[in-house]
Amino acid sequence: MTNSPAASPGDAASGPVPPPASATELPPSVGAFHYTRYEPRTPALEPGGVEAGSHPVVIAGGGPVGMALALGLANHGVRSVILEADDTVCVGSRAACISRRSLEIMERLGVLRAFMDKGLPWTGGRSFYKTAEVFRFEMPNDERQKLPPMINLEQYYAEHYLLEEILRRNERTPGLVDIRWGTELTGLSQDDEGVTLDVRNAEGAYRLRGQWLAACDGGQSFVRKTMGLALEGTGYEGRYVIIDIELKSGHPTERRAWFDPPWNPGSTVLMHRQPDDIWRIDYQLRPGQSTEEALQPAAVAEFVQRHLDAIGEGHLPWKTVWTSVYRAGAMTLESYRRGRVVFAGNAAHAMPIFGVRGLNSGFDDADNLAWKLAFVAKGLSDAALLDSYSQERIEAFHVNAENAMRSTEFMSPPSRGFDLLREAALSLSEAHRGIAQLINPRQTQAVRYAASPLSSDGDALPAGPLPGEAMPEQQLERGHLTDWIAPTFTLLVLRPDLVALPAADIERARKGALPFVLRSIASPGTDGADAHAAPEVFEALGARDGAVYLLRPDGHVAARWHRLPPGALQPALARAARELSA
């Protein structure tokens, strides 16, 4: 066993703190992954150390959320500058489970193939009480889906693939995403026209301006702290040690959880397979156990060997590659917009690790924010559109937090009463499968923005996504429905042979300032449609005899109609985009 890079203990509002970057040594390679150090770059400066001009968007933080936001803006042709204090991608697996919804977002950003080529798909998992299996779950997965419900992929790979796509975009359009490594944000102020930022790197300090600042700088957010803001919500006492080990095991990719195992009584242990024979082990520290002692190499080695012995793999060679500690919490800012500053990812909220809602929520933040910030930066929409970002993502936080907190209270009971209830449920689960549903980890899924101010009233349909919901995947004769989600508003017409569209309204939308496309799906053998689908697709979308959906650039439904009434399209578009000319 070898000593591993270790993160400092975090708290509910921050998560693990990454180890400091070394001035002389790169982090050690992990499996097939080799770290690269990126040199800082100082732009041309005017007298006084000020960069000329003003950038449309400055992004604080070049982690996965910051880079996803930059690529989302690039999809709309909006330039951005990323300020990243570190000079490498992250150390350690960190957020390692990528959901189907996040994979859909990654496809729109151009990195899906890389994620899928390296990531390990999985569909379910098993839970044990002591040594008995008491629950097995399967996430929704059927032939309509082109993507698995979840893949495991270490965060350093995710960041690397996002960075590669940024570099490809910059080859085609130089300067589209200006990522500045080793550049620390040291001060900020804002006025009605934008933000003024003070930064420093190894070459010196300078000042720059941006019209908007997106704070994607993680749980330790400098922007959040400098503005005097704090996350509020529920923090849990339960602490979890995270250990990445390299182990050549043939066990399939699934999520395994052991409650009160004999080799670590009174605790919970989780285990996930990751690429390159890296296995992620999370285990709960018991009350009174020292965090610092638990992270000592000897303590890590003793626990891992004991765990592997218990599951029948103790004879296999292994080594530690990363350790950290995490305390669960569900916390959020009161608002994700403060003037010219917007917050996303862990800078805006903290999620318990259970149900993998951390990074996946961050990707949803970036997906929601990118098109809105682009529309505002391009002068298409009023800045009030960014208030809808805050409203929708805070609504999503509460939906996610409710499910995550249920899982957290089961995984890490906050009181003796919860502990007794959990023991009773676990002891009865093997014989009573209905009770076993209490163990369901409630994995993340797309959230409906039920109270979205961007949604318009339309028609009741017998089925299909409601306004605010993400359009679900559907198998077409060629391709899938999500292939059409683009950086535009999409009017999706189902059964166009049965739906008469107001031609003048469609022409006006096509000639308007907002990006807009018309798509149609017909029954097989029908001419004049963009695609064809089987009858069950129309049944699933409530369109047996036709329907029309207005989809936002992030794939959420802005409005839906059985028949599109004359004069209804323009108000729905204007409402969904907070259009300036409306």
Side-chain angles (χ1 to χ4, degrees):
M1 280 66 75
T2 60
N3 291 344
S4 61
S8 303
D11 57 29
S14 69
V17 182
S22 166
T24 57
E25 295 182 3
L26 278 171
S29 298
V30 184
F33 187 82
H34 307 289
Y35 282 88
T36 299
R37 187 177 303 288
Y38 302 98
E39 297 298 326
R41 183 188 65 79
T42 302
L45 301 177
E46 296 182 332
V50 177
E51 183 180 2
S54 179
H55 300 283
V57 179
V58 178
I59 300 170
V65 176
M67 285 195 277
L69 175 59
L71 286 170
L73 291 167
N75 282 348
H76 295 269
V78 174
R79 294 176 181 268
S80 63
V81 173
I82 298 176
L83 306 175
E84 172 51 50
D86 290 333
D87 58 6
T88 70
V89 298
C90 77
V91 175
S93 63
R94 297 176 71 80
C97 298
I98 311 296
S99 70
R100 175 183 285 140
R101 172 64 180 169
S102 291
L103 291 173
E104 291 174 359
I105 295 169
M106 294 304 102
E107 182 173 29
R108 298 199 286 275
L109 301 182
V111 297
L112 177 63
R113 175 169 293 184
F115 274 54
M116 293 302 299
D117 286 349
K118 192 65 180 181
L120 302 179
W122 58 283
T123 60
R126 296 185 291 158
S127 297
F128 301 85
Y129 178 48
K130 300 187 184 298
T131 58
E133 182 178 322
V134 294
F135 183 70
R136 187 182 293 253
F137 73 90
E138 288 289 330
M139 291 176 285
N141 194 38
D142 55 47
E143 66 279 357
R144 293 175 297 174
Q145 307 298 328
K146 69 176 176 182
L147 298 170
M150 201 79 67
I151 66 168
N152 284 349
L153 182 71
E154 297 96 336
Q155 185 171 319
Y156 46 80
Y157 272 120
E159 292 186 13
H160 176 70
Y161 296 143
L162 288 163
L163 176 59
E164 285 188 321
E165 179 62 16
I166 286 174
L167 298 178
R168 283 190 290 268
R169 302 285 186 101
N170 284 338
E171 287 179 359
R172 298 193 296 267
T173 309
L176 184 60
V177 180
D178 181 355
I179 182 164
R180 301 181 184 178
W181 296 96
T183 300
E184 180 184 8
L185 183 60
T186 61
L188 67 92
S189 62
Q190 62 172 310
D191 53 40
D192 291 342
E193 301 301 319
V195 293
T196 301
L197 306 171
D198 292 308
V199 301
R200 67 185 175 200
N201 59 26
E203 299 172 341
Y206 63 95
R207 177 170 288 179
L208 70 155
R209 285 276 295 176
Q211 296 172 31
W212 295 93
L213 172 65
C216 304
D217 51 343
Q220 299 290 325
S221 174
F222 173 86
V223 177
R224 187 180 69 215
K225 293 176 181 178
T226 299
M227 295 180 68
L229 305 174
L231 302 182
E232 299 178 355
T234 302
Y236 291 94
E237 293 301 317
R239 296 162 296 149
Y240 277 79
V241 173
I242 303 171
I243 306 169
D244 285 353
I245 64 172
E246 187 173 333
L247 171 76
K248 292 188 181 297
S249 166
H251 194 88
T253 305
E254 63 177 358
R255 176 261 201 197
R256 284 180 287 173
W258 292 267
F259 297 95
D260 196 20
W263 58 93
N264 204 51
S267 174
T268 303
V269 181
L270 305 173
M271 193 168 185
H272 271 285
R273 184 187 193 108
Q274 301 180 97
D276 298 337
D277 293 317
I278 305 300
W279 289 80
R280 165 80 169 262
I281 303 173
D282 302 58
Y283 80 91
Q284 181 186 7
L285 290 176
R286 293 184 293 272
Q289 279 188 284
S290 164
T291 297
E292 290 72 19
E293 290 179 6
L295 288 176
Q296 292 299 312
V300 170
E302 190 275 334
F303 172 80
V304 172
Q305 190 61 54
R306 190 168 72 243
H307 173 70
L308 294 179
D309 287 342
I311 65 174
E313 297 191 332
H315 61 288
L316 298 174
W318 63 275
K319 67 177 182 179
T320 309
V321 295
W322 184 68
T323 60
S324 183
V325 170
Y326 181 79
R327 188 189 299 275
M331 312 178 80
T332 182
L333 288 174
E334 182 182 5
S335 173
Y336 295 174
R337 181 193 173 196
R338 295 296 177 109
R340 288 272 173 166
V341 181
V342 287
F343 293 83
N346 285 349
H349 48 72
M351 283 287 182
I353 60 175
F354 313 115
V356 297
R357 291 175 174 84
L359 177 56
N360 290 303
S361 289
F363 281 146
D364 255 328
D365 289 348
D367 190 47
N368 187 298
L369 178 58
W371 71 271
K372 296 175 179 178
L373 192 52
F375 279 26
V376 173
K378 294 169 75 171
L380 299 175
S381 299
D382 187 271
L385 183 62
L386 298 176
D387 294 327
S388 77
Y389 159 72
S390 179
Q391 290 172 262
E392 290 180 348
R393 293 310 299 156
I394 288 176
E395 181 182 7
F397 166 83
H398 288 295
V399 172
N400 278 318
E402 181 180 359
N403 285 307
M405 288 167 68
R406 290 177 188 171
S407 296
T408 301
E409 288 167 350
F410 197 91
M411 302 293 290
S412 182
S415 68
R416 180 55 183 159
F418 275 93
D419 198 29
L420 290 171
L421 288 172
R422 186 179 83 160
E423 289 177 14
L426 288 166
S427 63
L428 294 170
S429 291
E430 187 176 10
H432 302 278
R433 292 302 174 182
I435 293 176
Q437 288 297 324
L438 295 171
I439 309 172
N440 193 328
R442 302 178 180 86
Q443 303 288 14
T444 183
Q445 57 186 352
V447 173
R448 179 194 175 198
Y449 304 134
S452 174
L454 307 186
S455 297
S456 294
D457 293 332
D459 298 331
L461 299 177
L466 297 168
E469 280 190 81
M471 175 60 71
E473 185 63 281
Q474 298 293 334
Q475 174 73 59
L476 307 179
E477 278 195 338
R478 295 182 181 179
H480 292 78
L481 183 51
T482 54
D483 297 340
W484 290 354
I485 305 302
T488 64
F489 282 95
T490 301
L491 192 69
L492 179 63
V493 182
L494 303 170
R495 302 291 302 274
D497 54 313
L498 301 179
V499 178
L501 296 176
D505 291 353
I506 302 299
E507 188 62 20
R508 182 181 170 191
R510 282 175 163 157
K511 292 181 177 179
L514 295 176
F516 171 87
V517 296
L518 175 67
R519 297 281 194 177
S520 60
I521 303 176
S523 300
T526 305
D527 294 331
D530 297 292
H532 298 87
E536 52 264 29
V537 171
F538 302 116
E539 291 283 350
L541 299 180
R544 178 184 297 180
D545 58 349
V548 179
Y549 285 87
L550 179 62
L551 305 182
R552 305 175 352 175
D554 55 10
H556 285 260
V557 175
R560 65 179 196 171
W561 302 273
H562 183 225
R563 298 285 186 272
L564 178 58
L569 179 57
Q570 269 66 41
L573 276 168
R575 178 176 181 136
R578 291 292 188 263
E579 190 177 6
L580 276 176
S581 60

